Amino acid sequence: MINSLFLINPSGEMFLEKHWKSVVSRSVCDYFLEAKEKALEPEDVPPVIHTPHHYLISIYRDKLFFLSVIQTEVPPLFVIEFLHRVAEMIQDYFGECSETVVKDHMVMVYELLEEMLDNGFPLATESNVLKEMIRPPTILRSVVNTLTGTSNVGDTLLTGQLSTIPWRRAGVRYTNNEAYFDVVEEIDAILDQSGTTVFAEIQGVVEACVKLSGMPDLTLSFMNPRLLDDVSFHPCVRYKLWESERVLSFIPPDGNFTLMTYHVNAQNLVAIPVYVKQSISFFECGSDGRLDVTVGPKQTMGKTVEGVMVTVHLPKTILSINLTATQGSYTYDNGTKLLVWDIGKLNPQKLPNLRGSLSLQAGAPKPEENPSLNIDLKIQQLAISGLKVNRLDMFGEKYKPFKGVKYITKAGKFQVRT
Amino acid sequence: GGFFLFDGQQSQKRSNCEPMIARGKNASDLFPAVVKNVACKNIEVKKLVYVYLVRYAEEQQDLALLSISTFQRGLKDPNQLIRASALRVLSSIRVTIIVPIMMLAIKEAASDMSPYVRKTAAHAIPKLYSLDPEQKDCLIEVIEKLLADKTTLVAGSVVMAFEEVCPERIDLIHKNYRKLCNLLIDVEEWGQVVIINMLTRYARTQFLNPNMNEDKEEKEKKKTEATAIVKRKPYVMDPDHRLLLRNTKPLLQSRNAAVVMAVAQLYFHLAPKAEVGVIAKALVRLMRSHSEVQYVVLQNVATMSIKRRGMFEPYLKSFYIRSTDPTQIKVLKLEVLTNLANETNISTILREFQTYIKSNDKDFVAATIQAIGRCATNIGEVRDTCLNGLVQLLSNRDELVVAESVVVIKKLLQMQPEQHSDIIKHMAKLTDNIQVPMARASILWLIGEYCEHVPKIAPDVLRKMAKTFTNEEDIVKLQIINLAAKLYLTNSKQTKLLTQYVLNLAKYDQNYDIRDRARFIRQLIVPTDKSGALSKYAKKLFLALKPAPVLESPFKDRDHFQLGSLSHLLNAKAGGYQVLPDWPEAAPDPSVRNVEVKESVRAVETVTARDRGPLGAPQNPRGARGALLYSGEDVKKSEKKSKPRIGSSESESEEDNDSESESSESEEEESEEESEEETKKKKKVGNERLENTPCLAVHAVFTQPPPLPVSVPQTIIPSGNLKTYELLHRITGEGLSVEYCFSRQPFSPDPHMVAVKIQFTNSATSEAKSLHVEDAKLQSGMRIKEFPEIEVLPAGETVSVVMGIDFCDSTQAANFQLCTHTRKFFVSIQPPVGELMMPIFMTENEFKKEQGQLMGMNEITEKLTLEEKCQGEHAVVQRVTTAANLSRVPCGSDKECRFAGKTVTSGSLVLVSVVTKEDGAAQLTVNCEKMVIGTMLVKDILQALTQ
């Protein structure tokens, strides 16, 4: 299975390596670095690279490459999924996943990796189990540790791995028992020039933050579960009960976790909250062009659309731009040709507009394709699919927990072709 | 004697060397200093030393050996976690000398009480195998043993070991197949992937192709109808095949992409055509994930979509391309879209392609043009539309786009050149502008091939080419020679000189391929006296009608690799890849998977992983309900199923009979009654567990029911038949083995204690001295009366002593240390509930009176069916009294047996009655003030009576 792991920063420096079997020389990474040089963007590096003696499987995440070395047949997704878990674990422990953070907590990351794999096969990947073994750092603890010389390694023997519900640590105690659920929906859509929907779907996720004492057994039901086309669950959810009764019944892990993800496919159900009127044109003669974009609310279910942002990758031949925005502000990076227009809240009475002229490099031909617009937006207190949580019940514990559900809609991969 | 580092130094060492390892620096100089710390008490230091040790042991073997004894000690620690981690580190030290030690440790751990230690043993197997492959045979034995393990914790790890050590030993799976299917949903994610992949291979060797009739039909369309009808045999799916499909399906909902992919490939390779569709939705969902996941999934979807196009058609739009997708994703999506194109959706797809052609990403545009070409060849209706579209692209400003279009147009024109001479003319003009060699070569080939359609232009093109010949790329040069030859053959008058000129140029070219080609062609086309017989046929050779190229997907036939595998992704066999076998012609014997189910084992199995959890609290009405949700239900069902099978094969071992009965078993067979019974059982399990006893303890109680030999004559207290339990194994005890039994005699120093008879056997070569009990760690209220110290136990001798334990009427274990003059062993004694009571004498009337007072909550009644061997008063009495320390109460009716006793500590009454009816039906009633004792007792007696 997984032989070694290298963490590589964008400039190609290997700043952490870990081997679970025999040591593999780091020169093996040269094949990867070669492929990285060839690729225009870091995302273009092939995830699987074949070298004479090894296979390299890598992911690019949070501006870091996680590169694993494989010697024999193994499902590539197995490795990819594991590498993402490593990244998530670092994020979970230290708040972010970056080169500095890993370098600052080198020993701890190393210890975590040691526990996550044994001989290249995943051993403990549940964050609840890991946290019982190796406690995440807090400022207070690090002060105490330096003063008293104690460490972050749990000194009690953990029992989590032995438990039949490995995702939950034992002996959880809170003075305030609370359970919060965030229903987050993202609209993935492609609109064509005329504003017609080419493709649209909703990707939803229920994020939970559960801080309940003991061993609570929760049941979450929806008002309209039939809406959901396709679902995937955290391992704690009982599949059978979902299939028969469409309720989520589970013993939650302690802390933050993703309870389920779902998918609403039916296109007519997908409301598109904004419309975009745009015209980008380049004149055949003369090196000039015009840009005119207006954004307005469409199907918003009476809520305000916030955090609206339009991102455009302008053609490489653009020399400079001169635009004015009636609302919000725009930034333009001439190096990457990235235009970002941060609008903010949408006001139906006064639609925001961005217009002005684009000048091309002298002698450059008229660009073939007009750049497409990527839209970002946010609507609070609304799940655009209409999904609603009906109720949350708790069994198995006596106290009364504080419960809360929050809805939010965002734009996912929302693209307007021009 | 060595020296010890000061604490400060010690921690400095650790904090120094670890980052060094992590950064890949060599820290091996520190080895001796670090190894000394291996026995350190501080857990963090210990852990770091382990990391260091494993990393450098291979290079510094001698020094690494110094640490081995520490781990050997750890292997015998009473704490399962310490045993496990000792084994984990020991097996990671890659030093050949310790192979025998490792082997021993693995064997021992494989039969450890703790499933976690057994899991670690499974992990250690591949490590040892890679260190010394000669241990294979021994390791297979261990694998076989661990495969039989019934806990979810072990299942994934042992299958992983199986795949690494002996994937060819498919016969080891037979007996464990059903169990693996049933446990699957409770196994951790990573184990699920490994098990599913292995089971896919297994199923391919054991079951019949569910699509065999359809596949055959396709083949037989060519043959006559009559034979088709004769050959077609109704296909009946093996129930085990169905079991696998049914139990893996819910895992499509897993959050882990690897699990979803594993199930998807299982369905693709094993399911009937009509059922494969379910995986499409899940795979499309994965496309939303990280781009690497998307990349792998799309590769697999591309392969699947060739064979089962209909499956992904409803999700066509999910494969639409965004300008922000990375190029490699775009190209793969394009591949899928092309595979999905058919008459009905082609117009939508082409419209989508038109958008893509305008993209700034030129590699992607080139791929789109190729895709259009493929659509055009596959779907006749749109060929002209596509061709026109491509011709328009010829005037594109980007040369790459034009070049790619030329190449594709060339392929399309080959299909119907007559109608398109204007396109050929148009392309001929392009030679002036296009510089991309492949495109130039394509145009030249096209003109040469269809020179009769463009008789005027062709010689002119050759003239221009002759002028630039020396500056062209090699492939273009070859095509110029080719064009010259063809023109010479059709129109020698105009082109003779030009051809000579070109051939002369080629004769002195730097590239020998071109020189060779020139020489060959000159001999072939220019008639001389020496020219052989071939030149007569030159025209036929050059101007033969060439078949149009078939534009095929690069993913065609890639499904001979198991989908989802690395080999499939690379389209090349990776090391260690196990070939996915073809379906067998005839199914192998299905009875190999039958398992003898022992009653005692079943009792344990019903309490599978998640049933237990925290749901079992008796006051919780959901306990029972919740318990049904995970795999527990299925385990029961399948066992019920397999049971009659055993019966039938025992009575008449006719294979045919057996398989027929299997196929006739429909899925809906599980009757209402059964499920009711199950629920009841589950409830009991729930009630029994008042507190969160660790699963191990439950195991110990259930797996060791008192044996019940039938031959023993009936006595009130069957003292000759006392079940002995092991307290200390010979190996753990270093030669000292200790057993105990509940003697059922009153313990005279304290009547509230249970007498436990302990028997020491010294099988070591030296004598053991001063055996005594120390440091009892007891639950509150429990008391212990130690036995007098045994001063000397000579080698080979055995001695028995009696000690008293007050268990406080609970089945909690009494833990204490057993000490010799050299060592201390942690041991625990756990009483079966039946041993917590002592018999009392009662008359029939007293019994009835007492029973009348213990009604309601204090009474538990169960219906049961007595086994044949157990019908009859004697047998019942004997079994009940073996299970519990009770005495018989006289009774007028011979249909009823009554027993009475009281708990040892509190003296609460325990009344048991068994009423037998016709045909072995019976009813068991237990009345006891202590409900916990009552419920547990019912369970034990039931087990004793039904076994």
Side-chain angles (χ1 to χ4, degrees), chain B residues 112-145:
Chain B
D112 199 283
M113 274 264 284
S114 150
Y116 185 65
V117 177
R118 298 202 296 273
K119 181 191 173 79
T120 317
H123 274 267
I125 292 170
K127 296 186 205 168
L128 179 53
Y129 180 64
S130 72
L131 188 60
D132 181 10
E134 293 192 356
Q135 302 291 325
K136 185 169 177 177
D137 292 337
C138 282
L139 287 174
I140 291 179
E141 274 173 40
V142 183
I143 290 175
E144 192 171 1
K145 182 170 181 180

Side-chain angles (χ1 to χ4, degrees), chain A residues 73 114 151 158 186 238, chain B residues 44 81 88 288 567 629:
Chain A
E73 169 67 48
E114 179 72 23
S151 72
L158 66 145
E186 296 195 353
R238 300 182 175 97
Chain B
E44 184 168 24
L81 288 159
R88 195 178 150 202
R288 185 56 221 257
S567 304
L629 304 179

Side-chain angles (χ1 to χ4, degrees), chain A residues 217-219 238 241 245 247-250 393-396, chain B residues 611 615-629:
Chain A
D217 194 343
L218 302 179
T219 304
R238 300 182 175 97
L241 211 63
E245 296 176 36
V247 295
L248 295 172
S249 161
F250 56 99
D393 297 307
M394 188 182 72
F395 303 92
Chain B
D611 291 3
L615 294 165
Q619 72 275 23
N620 173 6
R622 288 181 49 82
R625 191 170 157 233
L628 279 166
L629 304 179

Side-chain angles (χ1 to χ4, degrees), chain A residues 17 26 60 73 81 85 110 114 151 157-158 186 203 217 231 233 236 238 366 369 372 395 417, chain B residues 18 22-23 44 79 81 88 253 257 288 292 323 352 358 397 566-567 575 615 622 629-630:
Chain A
E17 62 179 283
R26 50 163 64 190
Y60 179 71
E73 169 67 48
E81 181 82 30
R85 291 285 171 89
Y110 207 75
E114 179 72 23
S151 72
L157 287 160
L158 66 145
E186 296 195 353
Q203 301 285 348
D217 194 343
V231 281
F233 300 121
C236 70
R238 300 182 175 97
K366 177 188 160 215
E369 187 196 30
S372 51
F395 303 92
R417 290 176 178 167
Chain B
E18 174 110 7
R23 294 196 176 104
E44 184 168 24
N79 187 312
L81 288 159
R88 195 178 150 202
Q253 252 81 60
R288 185 56 221 257
E292 300 86 10
S323 58
E352 195 54 30
K358 285 190 257 159
R397 205 177 299 131
L566 184 61
S567 304
L615 294 165
R622 288 181 49 82
L629 304 179
Y630 291 105

Side-chain angles (χ1 to χ4, degrees), chain B residues 797-844:
Chain B
E797 294 283 305
T798 300
V799 69
S800 296
V801 288
V802 176
M803 68 187 286
I805 303 173
D806 179 358
F807 286 106
C808 276
D809 291 351
S810 91
T811 53
Q812 292 280 308
N815 301 310
F816 53 90
Q817 282 184 19
L818 203 58
C819 308
T820 69
H821 61 300
T822 50
R823 291 285 313 271
K824 294 178 175 183
F825 305 103
F826 289 89
V827 292
S828 71
I829 291 180
Q830 184 158 35
V833 65
E835 304 297 344
L836 295 175
M837 46 199 71
M838 52 190 184
I840 49 168
F841 182 76
M842 247 185 211
T843 61
E844 190 173 356

Side-chain angles (χ1 to χ4, degrees), chain B residues 153-436:
Chain B
L153 212 51
V154 183
S157 306
V158 68
V159 172
M160 189 266 301
F162 170 84
E163 291 281 78
E164 294 218 354
V165 178
C166 53
E168 72 283 353
R169 289 291 303 276
I170 211 90
D171 56 295
L172 296 179
I173 303 301
H174 291 321
K175 291 270 177 246
N176 303 300
Y177 172 82
R178 289 182 192 144
K179 181 195 68 197
L180 285 174
C181 287
N182 288 322
L183 290 183
L184 193 58
I185 202 165
D186 282 335
V187 176
E188 36 86 38
E189 301 160 287
W190 312 105
Q192 284 172 345
V193 178
V194 180
I195 296 179
I196 295 172
N197 280 323
M198 186 276 289
L199 288 179
T200 310
R201 237 176 45 239
Y202 177 85
R204 270 293 183 100
T205 61
Q206 300 298 321
F207 306 129
L208 291 177
N209 184 356
N211 300 317
M212 93 186 130
N213 288 333
E214 285 147 55
D215 291 357
K216 238 187 233 165
E217 251 172 58
E218 279 164 30
K219 280 181 206 159
E220 281 169 3
K221 267 180 189 166
K222 296 164 200 159
K223 296 184 186 173
T224 53
E225 280 289 304
T227 51
I229 292 162
V230 174
K231 271 196 178 174
R232 202 179 296 163
K233 219 171 84 186
Y235 167 79
V236 182
M237 187 182 276
D238 188 303
D240 286 329
H241 190 173
R242 173 54 64 200
L243 176 74
L244 178 60
L245 292 175
R246 193 178 52 215
N247 283 6
T248 46
K249 195 173 166 188
L251 294 178
L252 282 174
Q253 252 81 60
S254 173
R255 63 166 172 177
N256 188 319
V259 176
V260 177
M261 189 66 231
V263 180
Q265 65 84 24
L266 181 132
Y267 262 74
F268 181 78
H269 288 300
L270 302 180
K273 222 173 177 175
E275 293 170 42
V276 184
V278 294
I279 63 173
K281 204 187 256 184
L283 288 177
V284 169
R285 182 185 73 229
L286 292 189
M287 303 239 312
R288 185 56 221 257
S289 189
H290 307 284
S291 79
E292 300 86 10
V293 174
Q294 221 180 346
Y295 174 78
V296 177
V297 171
L298 279 168
Q299 297 254 359
N300 288 288
V301 170
T303 306
M304 291 185 191
S305 59
I306 290 176
K307 206 158 188 194
R308 305 234 187 281
R309 184 204 288 166
M311 191 162 100
F312 291 101
E313 258 183 51
Y315 304 99
L316 185 74
K317 290 193 171 173
S318 303
F319 298 100
Y320 279 9
I321 293 157
R322 291 186 167 77
S323 58
T324 41
D325 286 333
T327 308
Q328 47 190 352
I329 299 288
K330 286 181 184 162
V331 172
L332 283 169
K333 279 186 173 174
L334 206 57
E335 175 66 37
V336 175
L337 285 173
T338 317
N339 289 341
L340 294 182
N342 60 16
E343 286 82 356
T344 48
N345 59 22
I346 185 69
S347 54
T348 338
I349 291 183
L350 281 181
R351 204 175 315 131
E352 195 54 30
F353 281 178
Q354 271 168 18
T355 330
Y356 302 161
I357 284 171
K358 285 190 257 159
S359 166
N360 285 321
D361 184 343
K362 292 306 164 202
D363 293 334
F364 169 53
V365 174
T368 311
I369 294 169
Q370 291 280 0
I372 294 175
R374 259 176 57 203
C375 288
T377 40
N378 297 341
I379 303 160
E381 286 90 331
V382 292
R383 199 168 294 151
D384 285 343
T385 330
C386 290
L387 203 52
N388 287 336
L390 289 171
V391 170
Q392 276 167 30
L393 285 182
L394 290 177
S395 46
N396 193 292
R397 205 177 299 131
D398 192 280
E399 197 189 10
L400 276 169
V401 174
V402 179
E404 200 67 40
S405 316
V406 168
V407 176
V408 174
I409 290 174
K410 174 207 140 197
K411 289 179 183 165
L412 287 180
L413 285 183
Q414 243 180 303
M415 299 181 137
Q416 40 197 161
E418 300 77 20
Q419 306 147 26
H420 300 294
S421 52
D422 49 333
I423 297 179
I424 299 174
K425 276 179 207 149
H426 182 83
M427 289 173 78
K429 284 182 205 146
L430 287 173
T431 45
D432 295 340
N433 302 322
I434 290 195
Q435 294 305 321
V436 178

